[in-house]
Amino acid sequence: LALSLIPIFYFIWLRPWSAEIKRLSYDEARLETAEKHQQLINSLDEGVFMADASGVITYANEALARIHGFDSPGQLIGKRFITFIVSEKVIEVLESFKRQMETGISAGIVSTEIVRQDGVRRHIDVHPTVIVEKAKRPEPVASSATLQIMSIT
């Protein structure tokens, strides 16, 4: 009788516990991977940011903050990236961004100028990558863009 209870005990008590350990390990692995990606992106000398379909910055790395004259990336979050573009280039950059978001096709390298927080103008080369959302729509729609500032002069 005692031997026949062992498999039942294992199934009832140990199996759910085992699944919980696997789930925690998976969640821990995902967190560790996200932390490693964050470290990698922050170790770059190039500015990287993500903007939503409206051009609002939703993520920025430390290099982007330095390029724009800020102390931390958090100071860029929630701002429209277009606010940093020199006035004579705003229409051109907005049209390019809109076209990329509508078509889902990146424009290649875009050269423009920004105005840093301290008023200094800098030439930058930006490599945009459009992120397309395919769920719930017959046609893919660009939902955000990742932009990498490749060179600064």
Side-chain angles (χ1 to χ4, degrees):
L1 181 67
L3 290 176
S4 65
L5 291 178
I6 291 173
I8 295 170
F9 174 77
Y10 174 76
F11 182 74
I12 293 172
W13 293 103
L14 297 180
R15 284 297 273 181
W17 185 68
S18 174
E20 182 68 17
I21 289 173
K22 287 180 184 175
R23 187 182 66 75
L24 287 175
S25 297
Y26 176 73
D27 289 346
E28 289 170 357
R30 285 182 49 206
L31 180 61
E32 185 177 321
T33 300
E35 289 171 355
K36 286 181 181 179
H37 284 134
Q38 182 70 30
Q39 290 172 348
L40 175 66
I41 291 172
N42 278 327
S43 70
L44 297 173
D45 290 331
E46 298 160 336
V48 176
F49 72 98
M50 290 184 74
D52 65 15
S54 302
V56 175
I57 298 171
T58 57
Y59 170 83
N61 72 344
E62 293 173 7
L64 189 76
R66 286 191 303 274
I67 290 167
H68 285 82
F70 290 100
D71 295 326
S72 74
Q75 294 172 291
L76 292 163
I77 306 301
K79 293 181 173 24
R80 293 189 71 212
F81 76 85
I82 203 71
T83 60
F84 301 104
I85 304 296
V86 295
S87 58
E88 56 270 20
K89 294 275 196 167
V90 167
I91 293 172
E92 177 186 338
V93 171
L94 272 177
E95 287 175 354
S96 175
F97 182 75
K98 182 181 176 188
R99 187 171 43 258
Q100 290 175 73
M101 296 305 282
E102 288 173 350
T103 65
I105 300 170
S106 295
I109 296 174
V110 177
S111 293
T112 191
E113 280 186 88
I114 61 166
V115 179
R116 292 171 31 103
Q117 179 187 18
D118 58 11
V120 174
R121 290 170 69 128
R122 291 273 171 92
H123 175 84
I124 61 170
D125 292 329
V126 180
H127 183 261
T129 303
V130 178
I131 300 170
V132 177
E133 178 186 315
K134 295 181 182 178
K136 300 180 185 176
R137 299 186 188 218
E139 292 290 322
V141 175
S143 59
S144 62
T146 300
L147 299 103
Q148 176 184 8
I149 297 179
M150 299 171 55
S151 64
I152 306 134
T153 53

